[in-house]
Amino acid sequence: MTTTAHRPAAAAPAAPAPSPPRPTRRQRLIVLDLKASPYLYIAPFFVLFGVVGLFPLGYTFFVSLFDWHLLTGRGEFVGLGNFTEVLRDRFFWNSLFNTVSIFLLSSIPQLAAAVLIAAVLDQNLRARTLWQMSVLLPYVVTPVAVAMIFTNMFGEQYGLINNILGSFGVDPILWKNETLPSHIAIAAMVNWRWTGYNALILLAAMQAVPRDLYDAGAIDGAGPLRRFFSITLPSIRPTMVFVVITTTIGGLQIFTEPRLFDPVAAGGTQRQFQTTVLYLWEMAFQRQNFGKAATIAWLLFLLILLFGLVNYLVSRRIATASDGGRPPRRTGRGADRRRRPRAVDAVVPDAAANTGTGAPRAAAAPTTTRRTR
């Protein structure tokens, strides 16, 4: 008998999956808003920074490559010749020495006094607002008035400082004709004006430190000095770094105080307190050499970058040393995901493993808990 096998019928093709609905115009606008709006919010800063920051910086470098004069305009292309001539100029190195000297004499005492004043204002004082406003008064006074006051105080013949020193039998000091005394006088002007401003910034950082830390330190027996050095200073470290960097930038760009200290001879008769910016001003508007003036500006910019990098590295080293030499911990969702294991092996011991009879009982079998997503 012959048996005929019938081939099974082919299965019907599966129906195609329905395509997702196309987003409406409103949905597309919402997605575009979520993606583009953050860039639009920060765009004004970058536009303004490019117009008043990057463009002048690039144009200054362009000017430094030419023999550019104030009246005749752009001359022939000299390349890096202006940089070579300025680096060989002894007046440039003299101005650089004066700038660094005044910067050190003003910045170090200024920061120390600002920290001390901020620590005092952080205490429970009466009329605290009045004291805070009084600390900021020197910053509000115009630099011209400050220069007039300190010029009279440091006068060589009839100045207040020399009169006080003369009452103790000390010979008058030539504040304007000697290098170190003139640097001290200008640094005193800078400190008097900017110490209160930096003190208020540090005070705001100190007031943000949680008071529970001070209470815990007091309970542990830490005195005021120990709490200050162990709690306050480590807590305000980022603000200290900000103040140090801004003080460095302002100190290396000092112009007003030395210019007004002796209006007749800008920088002194022997250039004993002529700073780099003051020398730049002389090169641009007295010698009318814009090419070399732009070169001095770029060299000063590189110097500020170098000092800022050194400040950053030193502050980072101090922060690492205070944390016990450990690198800074990474925070965020990614770091939390990396810290959590995929499987947690938990060994559950017997509740009565040690009953005091001398031998512990066997522990229970390990159980594994798998984390599910």
Side-chain angles (χ1 to χ4, degrees):
M1 182 176 63
T2 304
T3 303
T4 303
H6 296 281
R7 180 178 298 178
S19 59
R22 297 184 59 183
T24 62
R25 184 187 179 198
R26 180 181 180 83
Q27 292 175 343
R28 289 196 299 267
L29 290 177
I30 292 175
V31 173
L32 180 63
D33 177 65
L34 293 176
K35 292 182 178 181
S37 59
Y39 299 99
L40 294 178
Y41 294 151
I42 63 176
F45 165 76
F46 287 100
V47 172
L48 186 63
F49 177 73
V51 172
V52 303
L54 292 181
F55 174 74
L57 189 64
Y59 190 73
T60 301
F61 182 75
F62 174 77
V63 173
S64 67
L65 301 178
F66 292 88
D67 186 13
W68 201 302
H69 289 270
L70 178 62
L71 298 179
T72 60
R74 185 175 68 181
E76 61 180 3
F77 179 78
V78 296
L80 299 179
N82 286 329
F83 288 87
T84 304
E85 294 183 10
V86 169
L87 291 176
R88 292 177 180 175
D89 189 359
R90 62 185 181 90
F91 293 146
F92 170 74
W93 292 105
N94 174 73
S95 67
L96 198 62
F97 167 76
N98 295 335
T99 300
V100 176
S101 176
I102 296 174
F103 162 70
L104 294 177
L105 290 174
S106 61
S107 299
I108 297 176
Q110 180 186 149
L111 293 176
V115 172
L116 179 61
I117 294 174
V120 173
L121 293 178
D122 193 34
Q123 306 301 318
N124 293 325
L125 300 177
R126 293 183 177 179
R128 180 185 301 179
T129 305
L130 176 63
W131 291 112
Q132 294 176 1
M133 293 177 58
S134 62
V135 171
L136 196 60
L137 282 179
Y139 175 74
V140 179
V141 180
T142 60
V144 177
V146 175
M148 292 179 60
I149 294 172
F150 278 85
T151 300
N152 292 326
M153 288 178 57
F154 288 98
E156 297 178 353
Q157 296 181 356
Y158 307 104
L160 177 63
I161 305 298
N162 278 342
N163 287 333
I164 294 176
L165 295 177
S167 61
F168 293 97
V170 180
D171 295 333
I173 299 176
L174 301 178
W175 296 105
K176 295 183 179 180
N177 293 320
E178 294 184 0
T179 301
L180 183 59
S182 62
H183 292 183
I184 294 176
I186 295 173
M189 298 168 59
V190 177
N191 292 336
W192 187 82
R193 187 183 178 201
W194 291 99
T195 300
Y197 175 81
N198 291 327
L200 286 186
I201 296 178
L202 296 174
L203 175 62
M206 291 181 183
Q207 291 178 346
V209 178
R211 297 301 164 181
D212 297 340
L213 299 178
Y214 295 104
D215 297 338
I219 293 174
D220 292 339
L225 290 178
R226 182 60 182 274
R227 294 197 299 269
F228 177 76
F229 286 102
S230 299
I231 298 177
T232 304
L233 289 184
S235 300
I236 66 171
R237 188 187 303 120
T239 306
M240 284 288 295
V241 173
F242 169 78
V243 171
V244 168
I245 292 178
T246 54
T247 303
T248 301
I249 296 174
L252 295 177
Q253 293 179 345
I254 183 172
F255 172 79
T256 305
E257 288 80 1
R259 178 67 182 89
L260 297 178
F261 186 64
D262 189 1
V264 178
T269 55
Q270 302 296 328
R271 301 176 183 269
Q272 59 270 17
F273 55 89
Q274 185 182 56
T275 59
T276 304
V277 180
L278 198 56
Y279 182 57
L280 186 155
W281 172 81
E282 175 189 345
M283 184 66 68
F285 298 103
Q286 291 187 356
R287 302 188 188 183
Q288 300 181 358
N289 193 335
F290 268 27
K292 288 186 178 180
T295 302
I296 296 172
W298 251 90
L299 292 175
L300 180 62
F301 169 70
L302 296 177
L303 179 66
I304 293 174
L305 282 183
L306 177 62
F307 270 80
L309 180 62
V310 170
N311 288 334
Y312 170 75
L313 294 178
V314 171
S315 61
R316 185 177 181 182
R317 179 65 60 87
I318 293 175
T320 304
S322 63
D323 292 338
R326 298 188 302 270
R329 297 180 60 183
R330 306 182 68 175
T331 58
R333 297 177 58 183
D336 183 67
R337 188 182 301 114
R338 284 190 293 272
R339 284 197 298 268
R340 287 184 292 181
R342 292 187 177 276
V344 181
D345 295 334
V347 178
V348 183
D350 192 357
N354 293 325
T355 58
T357 58
R361 297 181 181 177
T367 60
T368 303
T369 304
R370 183 173 300 276
R371 181 170 63 92
T372 59
R373 295 183 180 273

